[in-house]
PDB file of all heavy atoms in Angstrom:
ATOM      1  N   LYS A 267     -55.272  17.739  34.060  1.00  0.00           N
ATOM      2  CA  LYS A 267     -54.874  17.202  35.364  1.00  0.00           C
ATOM      3  C   LYS A 267     -53.430  17.579  35.663  1.00  0.00           C
ATOM      4  O   LYS A 267     -52.646  17.845  34.781  1.00  0.00           O
ATOM      5  CB  LYS A 267     -55.043  15.686  35.396  1.00  0.00           C
ATOM      6  CG  LYS A 267     -56.491  15.266  35.265  1.00  0.00           C
ATOM      7  CD  LYS A 267     -56.636  13.786  35.364  1.00  0.00           C
ATOM      8  CE  LYS A 267     -58.116  13.432  35.255  1.00  0.00           C
ATOM      9  NZ  LYS A 267     -58.323  11.997  35.218  1.00  0.00           N
ATOM     10  N   PHE A 268     -53.097  17.573  36.940  1.00  0.00           N
ATOM     11  CA  PHE A 268     -51.738  17.861  37.397  1.00  0.00           C
ATOM     12  C   PHE A 268     -50.933  16.573  37.284  1.00  0.00           C
ATOM     13  O   PHE A 268     -51.297  15.549  37.861  1.00  0.00           O
ATOM     14  CB  PHE A 268     -51.762  18.378  38.827  1.00  0.00           C
ATOM     15  CG  PHE A 268     -50.431  18.870  39.300  1.00  0.00           C
ATOM     16  CD1 PHE A 268     -50.020  20.160  39.019  1.00  0.00           C
ATOM     17  CD2 PHE A 268     -49.581  18.050  40.012  1.00  0.00           C
ATOM     18  CE1 PHE A 268     -48.795  20.623  39.451  1.00  0.00           C
ATOM     19  CE2 PHE A 268     -48.349  18.495  40.446  1.00  0.00           C
ATOM     20  CZ  PHE A 268     -47.956  19.790  40.165  1.00  0.00           C
ATOM     21  N   VAL A 269     -49.856  16.609  36.528  1.00  0.00           N
ATOM     22  CA  VAL A 269     -49.044  15.413  36.301  1.00  0.00           C
ATOM     23  C   VAL A 269     -47.590  15.675  36.683  1.00  0.00           C
ATOM     24  O   VAL A 269     -47.117  16.803  36.592  1.00  0.00           O
ATOM     25  CB  VAL A 269     -49.117  14.942  34.819  1.00  0.00           C
ATOM     26  CG1 VAL A 269     -50.513  14.488  34.460  1.00  0.00           C
ATOM     27  CG2 VAL A 269     -48.663  16.030  33.877  1.00  0.00           C
ATOM     28  N   GLU A 270     -46.917  14.630  37.113  1.00  0.00           N
ATOM     29  CA  GLU A 270     -45.470  14.649  37.319  1.00  0.00           C
ATOM     30  C   GLU A 270     -44.870  13.690  36.312  1.00  0.00           C
ATOM     31  O   GLU A 270     -45.197  12.503  36.311  1.00  0.00           O
ATOM     32  CB  GLU A 270     -45.107  14.209  38.743  1.00  0.00           C
ATOM     33  CG  GLU A 270     -45.457  15.216  39.794  1.00  0.00           C
ATOM     34  CD  GLU A 270     -44.993  14.768  41.176  1.00  0.00           C
ATOM     35  OE1 GLU A 270     -44.003  14.025  41.264  1.00  0.00           O
ATOM     36  OE2 GLU A 270     -45.647  15.164  42.147  1.00  0.00           O
ATOM     37  N   LEU A 271     -44.008  14.210  35.438  1.00  0.00           N
ATOM     38  CA  LEU A 271     -43.462  13.422  34.334  1.00  0.00           C
ATOM     39  C   LEU A 271     -41.957  13.251  34.470  1.00  0.00           C
ATOM     40  O   LEU A 271     -41.244  14.214  34.751  1.00  0.00           O
ATOM     41  CB  LEU A 271     -43.770  14.123  33.001  1.00  0.00           C
ATOM     42  CG  LEU A 271     -45.234  14.416  32.702  1.00  0.00           C
ATOM     43  CD1 LEU A 271     -45.365  15.200  31.420  1.00  0.00           C
ATOM     44  CD2 LEU A 271     -46.037  13.140  32.638  1.00  0.00           C
ATOM     45  N   GLU A 272     -41.486  12.031  34.251  1.00  0.00           N
ATOM     46  CA  GLU A 272     -40.059  11.765  34.185  1.00  0.00           C
ATOM     47  C   GLU A 272     -39.624  11.943  32.741  1.00  0.00           C
ATOM     48  O   GLU A 272     -40.342  11.516  31.825  1.00  0.00           O
ATOM     49  CB  GLU A 272     -39.761  10.335  34.627  1.00  0.00           C
ATOM     50  CG  GLU A 272     -40.162  10.049  36.055  1.00  0.00           C
ATOM     51  CD  GLU A 272     -40.011   8.580  36.402  1.00  0.00           C
ATOM     52  OE1 GLU A 272     -39.611   7.775  35.528  1.00  0.00           O
ATOM     53  OE2 GLU A 272     -40.300   8.231  37.557  1.00  0.00           O
ATOM     54  N   TYR A 273     -38.475  12.570  32.517  1.00  0.00           N
ATOM     55  CA  TYR A 273     -38.045  12.815  31.147  1.00  0.00           C
ATOM     56  C   TYR A 273     -36.538  12.707  31.013  1.00  0.00           C
ATOM     57  O   TYR A 273     -35.798  12.761  31.990  1.00  0.00           O
ATOM     58  CB  TYR A 273     -38.518  14.193  30.674  1.00  0.00           C
ATOM     59  CG  TYR A 273     -37.770  15.355  31.290  1.00  0.00           C
ATOM     60  CD1 TYR A 273     -36.704  15.953  30.635  1.00  0.00           C
ATOM     61  CD2 TYR A 273     -38.136  15.854  32.529  1.00  0.00           C
ATOM     62  CE1 TYR A 273     -36.018  17.013  31.200  1.00  0.00           C
ATOM     63  CE2 TYR A 273     -37.458  16.906  33.103  1.00  0.00           C
ATOM     64  CZ  TYR A 273     -36.401  17.482  32.431  1.00  0.00           C
ATOM     65  OH  TYR A 273     -35.714  18.516  32.998  1.00  0.00           O
ATOM     66  N   LYS A 274     -36.111  12.545  29.755  1.00  0.00           N
ATOM     67  CA  LYS A 274     -34.700  12.576  29.392  1.00  0.00           C
ATOM     68  C   LYS A 274     -34.513  13.684  28.370  1.00  0.00           C
ATOM     69  O   LYS A 274     -35.364  13.883  27.507  1.00  0.00           O
ATOM     70  CB  LYS A 274     -34.254  11.245  28.783  1.00  0.00           C
ATOM     71  CG  LYS A 274     -34.257  10.110  29.768  1.00  0.00           C
ATOM     72  CD  LYS A 274     -33.755   8.838  29.145  1.00  0.00           C
ATOM     73  CE  LYS A 274     -33.744   7.723  30.180  1.00  0.00           C
ATOM     74  NZ  LYS A 274     -33.256   6.465  29.619  1.00  0.00           N
ATOM     75  N   GLU A 275     -33.407  14.390  28.482  1.00  0.00           N
ATOM     76  CA  GLU A 275     -33.120  15.489  27.558  1.00  0.00           C
ATOM     77  C   GLU A 275     -31.934  15.123  26.682  1.00  0.00           C
ATOM     78  O   GLU A 275     -30.907  14.666  27.163  1.00  0.00           O
ATOM     79  CB  GLU A 275     -32.816  16.768  28.325  1.00  0.00           C
ATOM     80  CG  GLU A 275     -32.557  17.948  27.431  1.00  0.00           C
ATOM     81  CD  GLU A 275     -32.313  19.229  28.213  1.00  0.00           C
ATOM     82  OE1 GLU A 275     -32.423  19.227  29.440  1.00  0.00           O
ATOM     83  OE2 GLU A 275     -32.001  20.237  27.559  1.00  0.00           O
ATOM     84  N   TYR A 276     -32.110  15.317  25.387  1.00  0.00           N
ATOM     85  CA  TYR A 276     -31.053  15.099  24.409  1.00  0.00           C
ATOM     86  C   TYR A 276     -30.640  16.446  23.831  1.00  0.00           C
ATOM     87  O   TYR A 276     -31.361  17.426  23.946  1.00  0.00           O
ATOM     88  CB  TYR A 276     -31.552  14.182  23.282  1.00  0.00           C
ATOM     89  CG  TYR A 276     -31.953  12.811  23.767  1.00  0.00           C
ATOM     90  CD1 TYR A 276     -33.260  12.540  24.173  1.00  0.00           C
ATOM     91  CD2 TYR A 276     -31.041  11.781  23.841  1.00  0.00           C
ATOM     92  CE1 TYR A 276     -33.618  11.292  24.623  1.00  0.00           C
ATOM     93  CE2 TYR A 276     -31.394  10.518  24.286  1.00  0.00           C
ATOM     94  CZ  TYR A 276     -32.688  10.282  24.676  1.00  0.00           C
ATOM     95  OH  TYR A 276     -33.035   9.042  25.122  1.00  0.00           O
ATOM     96  N   ARG A 277     -29.485  16.513  23.195  1.00  0.00           N
ATOM     97  CA  ARG A 277     -29.015  17.771  22.606  1.00  0.00           C
ATOM     98  C   ARG A 277     -29.642  18.040  21.247  1.00  0.00           C
ATOM     99  O   ARG A 277     -29.580  19.158  20.748  1.00  0.00           O
ATOM    100  CB  ARG A 277     -27.488  17.757  22.480  1.00  0.00           C
ATOM    101  CG  ARG A 277     -26.742  17.635  23.787  1.00  0.00           C
ATOM    102  CD  ARG A 277     -27.077  18.704  24.789  1.00  0.00           C
ATOM    103  NE  ARG A 277     -26.748  20.014  24.279  1.00  0.00           N
ATOM    104  CZ  ARG A 277     -27.311  21.135  24.690  1.00  0.00           C
ATOM    105  NH1 ARG A 277     -28.207  21.112  25.626  1.00  0.00           N
ATOM    106  NH2 ARG A 277     -26.969  22.288  24.178  1.00  0.00           N
ATOM    107  N   GLY A 278     -30.247  17.042  20.636  1.00  0.00           N
ATOM    108  CA  GLY A 278     -30.877  17.233  19.330  1.00  0.00           C
ATOM    109  C   GLY A 278     -32.123  16.370  19.210  1.00  0.00           C
ATOM    110  O   GLY A 278     -32.258  15.351  19.881  1.00  0.00           O
ATOM    111  N   ALA A 279     -33.055  16.795  18.369  1.00  0.00           N
ATOM    112  CA  ALA A 279     -34.299  16.056  18.141  1.00  0.00           C
ATOM    113  C   ALA A 279     -34.179  15.251  16.857  1.00  0.00           C
ATOM    114  O   ALA A 279     -33.565  15.693  15.886  1.00  0.00           O
ATOM    115  CB  ALA A 279     -35.474  17.025  18.060  1.00  0.00           C
ATOM    116  N   LEU A 280     -34.769  14.070  16.874  1.00  0.00           N
ATOM    117  CA  LEU A 280     -34.846  13.224  15.680  1.00  0.00           C
ATOM    118  C   LEU A 280     -36.293  13.157  15.237  1.00  0.00           C
ATOM    119  O   LEU A 280     -37.194  13.039  16.078  1.00  0.00           O
ATOM    120  CB  LEU A 280     -34.329  11.814  15.985  1.00  0.00           C
ATOM    121  CG  LEU A 280     -32.834  11.711  16.279  1.00  0.00           C
ATOM    122  CD1 LEU A 280     -32.489  10.328  16.809  1.00  0.00           C
ATOM    123  CD2 LEU A 280     -32.037  12.002  15.024  1.00  0.00           C
ATOM    124  N   PRO A 281     -36.579  13.219  13.944  1.00  0.00           N
ATOM    125  CA  PRO A 281     -37.972  13.275  13.485  1.00  0.00           C
ATOM    126  C   PRO A 281     -38.817  12.077  13.902  1.00  0.00           C
ATOM    127  O   PRO A 281     -39.997  12.226  14.160  1.00  0.00           O
ATOM    128  CB  PRO A 281     -37.874  13.371  11.966  1.00  0.00           C
ATOM    129  CG  PRO A 281     -36.458  13.292  11.606  1.00  0.00           C
ATOM    130  CD  PRO A 281     -35.630  13.279  12.842  1.00  0.00           C
ATOM    131  N   TRP A 282     -38.243  10.897  14.000  1.00  0.00           N
ATOM    132  CA  TRP A 282     -39.020   9.713  14.377  1.00  0.00           C
ATOM    133  C   TRP A 282     -39.132   9.574  15.888  1.00  0.00           C
ATOM    134  O   TRP A 282     -39.910   8.775  16.375  1.00  0.00           O
ATOM    135  CB  TRP A 282     -38.415   8.447  13.791  1.00  0.00           C
ATOM    136  CG  TRP A 282     -36.964   8.276  14.101  1.00  0.00           C
ATOM    137  CD1 TRP A 282     -36.411   7.701  15.205  1.00  0.00           C
ATOM    138  CD2 TRP A 282     -35.879   8.710  13.292  1.00  0.00           C
ATOM    139  NE1 TRP A 282     -35.055   7.744  15.143  1.00  0.00           N
ATOM    140  CE2 TRP A 282     -34.679   8.358  13.963  1.00  0.00           C
ATOM    141  CE3 TRP A 282     -35.773   9.347  12.055  1.00  0.00           C
ATOM    142  CZ2 TRP A 282     -33.424   8.626  13.456  1.00  0.00           C
ATOM    143  CZ3 TRP A 282     -34.509   9.614  11.557  1.00  0.00           C
ATOM    144  CH2 TRP A 282     -33.365   9.252  12.249  1.00  0.00           C
ATOM    145  N   ARG A 283     -38.381  10.373  16.639  1.00  0.00           N
ATOM    146  CA  ARG A 283     -38.458  10.346  18.100  1.00  0.00           C
ATOM    147  C   ARG A 283     -39.366  11.453  18.614  1.00  0.00           C
ATOM    148  O   ARG A 283     -39.874  11.377  19.721  1.00  0.00           O
ATOM    149  CB  ARG A 283     -37.046  10.497  18.681  1.00  0.00           C
ATOM    150  CG  ARG A 283     -36.974  10.266  20.162  1.00  0.00           C
ATOM    151  CD  ARG A 283     -35.575  10.169  20.668  1.00  0.00           C
ATOM    152  NE  ARG A 283     -34.817  11.379  20.404  1.00  0.00           N
ATOM    153  CZ  ARG A 283     -33.499  11.465  20.507  1.00  0.00           C
ATOM    154  NH1 ARG A 283     -32.803  10.412  20.847  1.00  0.00           N
ATOM    155  NH2 ARG A 283     -32.875  12.590  20.257  1.00  0.00           N
ATOM    156  N   GLY A 284     -39.580  12.487  17.832  1.00  0.00           N
ATOM    157  CA  GLY A 284     -40.446  13.581  18.252  1.00  0.00           C
ATOM    158  C   GLY A 284     -39.851  14.921  17.877  1.00  0.00           C
ATOM    159  O   GLY A 284     -38.694  15.019  17.473  1.00  0.00           O
ATOM    160  N   MET A 285     -40.643  15.961  18.018  1.00  0.00           N
ATOM    161  CA  MET A 285     -40.215  17.299  17.628  1.00  0.00           C
ATOM    162  C   MET A 285     -39.411  18.001  18.715  1.00  0.00           C
ATOM    163  O   MET A 285     -38.806  19.026  18.469  1.00  0.00           O
ATOM    164  CB  MET A 285     -41.435  18.148  17.276  1.00  0.00           C
ATOM    165  CG  MET A 285     -42.191  17.623  16.071  1.00  0.00           C
ATOM    166  SD  MET A 285     -43.760  18.467  15.781  1.00  0.00           S
ATOM    167  CE  MET A 285     -43.211  20.142  15.561  1.00  0.00           C
ATOM    168  N   GLU A 286     -39.434  17.469  19.913  1.00  0.00           N
ATOM    169  CA  GLU A 286     -38.779  18.116  21.049  1.00  0.00           C
ATOM    170  C   GLU A 286     -37.518  17.363  21.462  1.00  0.00           C
ATOM    171  O   GLU A 286     -37.372  16.180  21.198  1.00  0.00           O
ATOM    172  CB  GLU A 286     -39.726  18.199  22.242  1.00  0.00           C
ATOM    173  CG  GLU A 286     -41.002  18.975  21.958  1.00  0.00           C
ATOM    174  CD  GLU A 286     -40.775  20.430  21.630  1.00  0.00           C
ATOM    175  OE1 GLU A 286     -39.802  21.016  22.141  1.00  0.00           O
ATOM    176  OE2 GLU A 286     -41.578  20.988  20.881  1.00  0.00           O
ATOM    177  N   LYS A 287     -36.636  18.067  22.164  1.00  0.00           N
ATOM    178  CA  LYS A 287     -35.416  17.465  22.678  1.00  0.00           C
ATOM    179  C   LYS A 287     -35.669  16.737  23.993  1.00  0.00           C
ATOM    180  O   LYS A 287     -34.855  15.940  24.427  1.00  0.00           O
ATOM    181  CB  LYS A 287     -34.346  18.533  22.901  1.00  0.00           C
ATOM    182  CG  LYS A 287     -33.895  19.213  21.630  1.00  0.00           C
ATOM    183  CD  LYS A 287     -32.905  20.304  21.940  1.00  0.00           C
ATOM    184  CE  LYS A 287     -32.510  21.058  20.700  1.00  0.00           C
ATOM    185  NZ  LYS A 287     -31.597  22.167  21.004  1.00  0.00           N
TER     186      LYS A 287
END
Side-chain angles (χ1 to χ4, degrees):
K267 295 183 179 175
F268 188 84
V269 295
E270 288 184 28
L271 304 175
E272 299 173 359
Y273 73 96
K274 292 183 179 180
E275 182 178 356
Y276 298 90
R277 298 303 300 156
L280 292 170
W282 53 86
R283 189 170 60 194
M285 296 172 59
E286 301 297 329
K287 295 177 184 177

